[in-house]
Amino acid sequence: MTNSKSENSTPFSSLENRSLKTVWHPCTQMKQHETFPLVPIVRGKGVWLYDSDDNGYIDTISSWWVNLFGHTNPQINAAICDQLEKIEHVMLAGFTHEPVVELSERLKQLAPGNLGHCFYASDGASAIEIALKMSFHYWLLNGQTQKNKFVSLQNDYHGETLGALSVTDVAIFKKTYAPLLRPCDHVPTPDWRYAEDDDTPEQHALKAANALDEYLAKHHAETAALIIEPLVQGAMGMGMYHPIYLKRAREICDQYHVHLIADEIAMGFGRTGTMFACNQADITPDFLCLAKGLSSGYLPISVVMTTDDVFQGFYHDQSTHAFLHSHTHTGNALACRAALATLDIFAQNDVLENNKVKAAYLNQAAKPLAAHPKVKNFRNCGMIWAFEVETDDADFAEKCFAAGLPHQLLLRPLGNTVYFMPPYVINEEEIDLVLNGTLQVINTLTKNG
Ligand SMILES: Cc1ncc(COP(=O)(O)O)c(C=O)c1O
């Protein structure tokens, strides 16, 4: 990697200013950019992102948790280029094509249990809307008209369209829009950070499962589905929990005839150490929502996988019995090819085993960081690491992001939770850069070193 200014680079301020004039950036108070410049990215390679001055930054969060096999991955690039010469997109109503059929067949093989029917959309929130509607509609077609509510976990995040936001429990995203949302209850989280009485992760998860049991004992008649982020609650600071909760949640949902929706939009495709988080509890949800890593972050694609039982519920002579959701780019051929190339990389390489070796290396090398006096709850699940930094600074996250850049790091804490969710292609040298740079950033921000 080089740090010299390339001859043809766009002047930093020019691209940044053009962007601020016309692009409304997500999850951003735009006024902050009066003092805090945007980073204009012109290219990427592997875990590295490069700005217009050719400064490199390690993408420690996989560009919002999507990138599995590095930027500009040759295998995925080639698959998309090949597909471009055939058909880029055709609507999926009345038509079909090889990439969407092959992708569905391969996902069916990979997914737990009998999740053999795939409904596609473009983003995570859309997949959640589809799963919620499908669950409600299934019960409606079965004469259970009162089942029109959903329950989710305290601290869950499921996206920010109105349905997805209704089942989300993250105040910063939800509070303002509350008048627009459907009421939804949230049962206690199994996240171990909330454990009391020195409970182990398993004990805490079992207590949370008991609370779910009590809730559904009272509310099962009006509840269509429980929706959860399995094993790791991402947006609320990578809260990790014991798989026993998933096992109990499955049993409890079965007992009360309530669907279980597993939102693996962020956690699917190896992030938690197994292909799907649900694998760690050996359970099959009624709906499995996938996105992000599905195309290794290349192109927007999401899918809701469901059972034959649900599918058959809609299979009827009358078209009014059909599932009613029309999404323009469902099954986009280019995105399906990116997803197939992603699955090829899994099939041709021992990705999950290799990740275990990388995780062991990172855990060992992270000991000085984990032992830092201001670092709390250092934790790891698969290819996710997180810890809280003890600070009173309300602007810690923004400062950490800014302080990371000179250390060649894209760090984007969630509040005072710093986390790493790197592309799986990260190597040991790059892991060392991440850990050493982060330690220096924490030292600077906590004036401790
Ligand atoms: C668990 C989970 N569900 C849903 C979503 C929403 O996905 P999208 O941003 O693609 O709408 C996200 C996004 O981070 C997520 O982490």
Side-chain angles (χ1 to χ4, degrees), residues 65 123-126 128 157-160 229 263 265-266 291-292:
W65 320 348
D123 56 83
S126 297
I128 298 299
Y157 178 88
H158 298 291
E160 294 172 52
E229 289 181 81
D263 174 355
I265 283 159
K292 294 189 187 265

Side-chain angles (χ1 to χ4, degrees), residues 186-380:
H186 309 288
V187 286
T189 174
D191 175 353
W192 190 40
R193 289 176 301 172
Y194 291 78
E196 290 172 346
D197 312 324
D198 290 330
D199 282 345
T200 63
E202 185 169 4
Q203 285 165 336
H204 180 64
L206 285 169
K207 279 188 184 170
N210 288 344
L212 171 66
D213 197 348
E214 278 169 32
Y215 177 87
L216 285 184
K218 281 198 203 111
H219 297 287
H220 64 93
E222 70 267 24
T223 305
L226 164 71
I227 175 164
I228 55 175
E229 289 181 81
L231 290 189
V232 182
Q233 294 183 288
M236 273 302 267
M238 300 296 155
M240 299 178 186
Y241 64 86
H242 195 283
I244 191 81
Y245 186 84
L246 299 179
K247 214 172 202 32
R248 286 293 297 125
R250 176 70 278 180
E251 288 164 2
I252 294 164
C253 285
D254 284 345
Q255 181 186 345
Y256 293 112
H257 300 285
V258 166
H259 284 143
L260 176 61
I261 303 173
D263 174 355
E264 295 216 24
I265 283 159
M267 295 305 145
F269 301 101
R271 244 329 139 185
T272 64
T274 42
M275 197 61 177
F276 302 104
C278 285
N279 296 141
Q280 294 189 37
D282 199 16
I283 60 154
T284 305
D286 299 288
F287 301 91
L288 177 64
C289 302
L290 304 169
K292 294 189 187 265
L294 172 58
S295 69
S296 201
Y298 258 68
L299 287 161
I301 180 169
S302 61
V303 64
V304 178
M305 302 186 69
T306 191
T307 60
D308 208 39
D309 175 45
V310 170
F311 180 78
Q312 291 303 332
F314 292 83
Y315 207 77
H316 202 272
D317 291 332
Q318 289 177 21
S319 52
T320 47
H321 262 63
F323 179 55
L324 305 168
H325 193 91
S326 317
H327 183 76
T328 306
H329 275 95
T330 185
N332 173 266
L334 287 175
C336 288
R337 278 300 296 273
L340 284 167
T342 300
L343 297 186
D344 285 344
I345 296 175
F346 273 106
Q348 292 157 8
N349 304 275
D350 221 346
V351 176
L352 300 180
E353 282 308 309
N354 290 341
N355 282 355
K356 277 186 199 157
V357 177
K358 288 181 191 197
Y361 179 83
L362 197 152
N363 280 327
Q364 184 62 29
K367 288 206 163 137
L369 180 61
H372 190 285
K374 299 285 182 188
V375 166
K376 304 289 164 217
N377 305 326
F378 189 93
R379 55 195 180 278
N380 163 234

Side-chain angles (χ1 to χ4, degrees), residues 63-113:
S63 288
W64 264 345
W65 320 348
V66 296
N67 192 297
L68 303 187
F69 298 117
H71 296 280
T72 56
N73 179 290
Q75 199 167 338
I76 305 174
N77 284 8
I80 294 173
C81 290
D82 179 65
Q83 186 59 38
L84 265 176
E85 299 298 328
K86 294 175 177 156
I87 175 75
E88 76 300 331
H89 178 72
V90 58
M91 67 182 197
L92 211 59
F95 294 89
T96 194
H97 53 78
E98 180 63 29
V100 78
V101 174
E102 192 186 335
L103 181 59
S104 307
E105 288 169 353
R106 288 177 65 180
L107 287 173
K108 178 179 175 174
Q109 293 298 319
L110 275 177

